Amino acid sequence: MTPVPTGSGYRRQLYRDDAVVLRVQKLGESDRIITLLTRRNGRLRAVARGVRRTNSRFGARLEPFGHIDLQLAGSPEGVGSSLHSVSQVEAVALYGKQFLTDYPRYTAASAIAETAERLTPVEREPSLRLFQLTLGALKALAAGEHAGPLVLDAYLLRAMSTAGWAPAIAECAVCGTPGRHAAFSVPAGGAVCPDCRPPGAAHPSPATLGLMSALTSGDWQVADASEPPIRRECSGLVAAHLQWHMERALRSLPLVDRRESS
Ligand SMILES: [Zn+2]
């Protein structure tokens, strides 16, 4: 970090990082607050001055879902305003542009960004794994090689595993007995053996747990070949598991357009 003097009596520091833009909010007449998931500095919010003016050089690079390389300026921890400002931006890949006219992929990207924000409740706490997962999911969504809802569910399963509450799939969630068990219970933590199965456990199709396992491990050959009813059942279990562990429901998840998979 390079300390630079400012007029306000304390020294601001400049630092570079690359980041995914999770959210953009208006601030005043011409500014925006950008919520970023950065590679090295975790999630942070920064103010971008003047970006809503039509002649802004970097406004277009600060749209949601883009991968950007940026320079930030801010005071050290505990001094002055905690809101750092964006001083330079280079586009690495502006994935958001590719989702604007594609509602299913746009809604999947929104659910990915909201999940990333919710899984990083504390600002400036680096989470390299979650950064890589989020960037990888947006890249895969933009590439369009796999159905959007599958990319989203793969992301949600892996993001849950970084949070420590991925559903059990290859063993019983309660007693740990290995094997592919037939019942699935969200409150119990995933697949459950006949001995541990609580009342009200679901009995998904074996192919559904197979798809969940393929999405977790990145076996796209199996995932891409899955049938629409299996994908829907898998999405339902993944969403239920996610909502169970989050304090508040995701706003964007019910909006995800899953017609692409049918
Ligand atoms: Zn068990």
Side-chain angles (χ1 to χ4, degrees):
M1 290 198 186
T2 317
V4 289
T6 66
S8 51
Y10 57 87
R11 292 165 88 80
R12 283 164 71 80
Q13 291 180 317
L14 292 176
Y15 58 102
R16 293 201 78 87
D17 207 340
D18 68 317
V20 171
V21 178
L22 300 180
R23 198 149 59 99
V24 177
Q25 294 155 280
K26 290 177 183 177
L27 176 69
E29 287 290 302
S30 60
D31 303 340
R32 280 183 182 152
I33 291 182
I34 318 289
T35 301
L36 300 160
L37 184 62
T38 69
R39 186 184 295 272
R40 288 183 291 278
N41 293 276
R43 181 180 60 80
L44 56 89
R45 296 193 316 144
V47 61
R49 304 268 177 220
V51 290
R52 289 169 61 209
R53 294 189 196 114
T54 47
N55 63 354
S56 164
R57 280 176 296 116
F58 57 65
R61 300 172 198 159
L62 292 170
E63 293 296 331
F65 318 132
H67 181 202
I68 55 174
D69 195 83
L70 75 170
Q71 188 181 61
L72 291 144
S75 50
E77 221 42 55
V79 183
S81 164
S82 66
L83 205 57
H84 291 193
S85 60
V86 178
S87 57
Q88 278 175 26
V89 193
E90 302 297 334
V92 180
L94 300 179
Y95 300 122
K97 278 186 181 168
Q98 297 173 55
F99 307 145
L100 283 179
T101 54
D102 186 329
Y103 189 69
R105 285 200 286 168
Y106 177 82
T107 53
S110 300
I112 288 167
E114 190 183 354
T115 302
E117 190 171 349
R118 294 283 292 280
L119 291 180
T120 49
V122 180
E123 285 205 8
R124 297 177 198 287
E125 210 172 73
S127 175
L128 179 61
R129 178 80 184 126
L130 189 67
F131 170 79
Q132 288 168 333
L133 283 175
T134 306
L135 180 57
L138 292 171
K139 197 173 183 175
L141 209 53
E145 286 168 21
H146 311 290
L150 289 180
V151 173
L152 171 61
D153 287 338
Y155 173 76
L156 296 177
L157 284 163
R158 295 172 200 183
M160 284 194 276
S161 102
T162 70
W165 30 265
I169 303 169
E171 70 285 326
C172 170
V174 179
C175 70
T177 301
R180 190 63 64 74
H181 302 293
F184 190 96
S185 164
V186 167
V192 277
C193 75
D195 293 337
C196 301
R197 186 182 61 213
H203 285 268
S205 156
T208 297
L209 292 178
L211 174 57
M212 207 181 275
S213 169
L215 291 173
T216 304
S217 65
D219 185 345
W220 286 100
Q221 216 172 350
V222 168
D224 289 339
S226 59
E227 298 291 334
I230 299 302
R231 293 182 187 188
R232 280 193 292 273
E233 190 172 50
C234 178
S235 290
L237 293 179
V238 170
H241 198 87
L242 183 74
Q243 307 287 28
W244 176 264
H245 287 275
M246 286 199 167
E247 241 171 63
R248 287 172 291 121
L250 282 186
R251 279 172 294 124
S252 52
L253 201 54
L255 302 176
V256 172
D257 188 335
R258 298 183 183 277
R259 280 175 296 180
E260 194 182 357
S261 62
S262 56

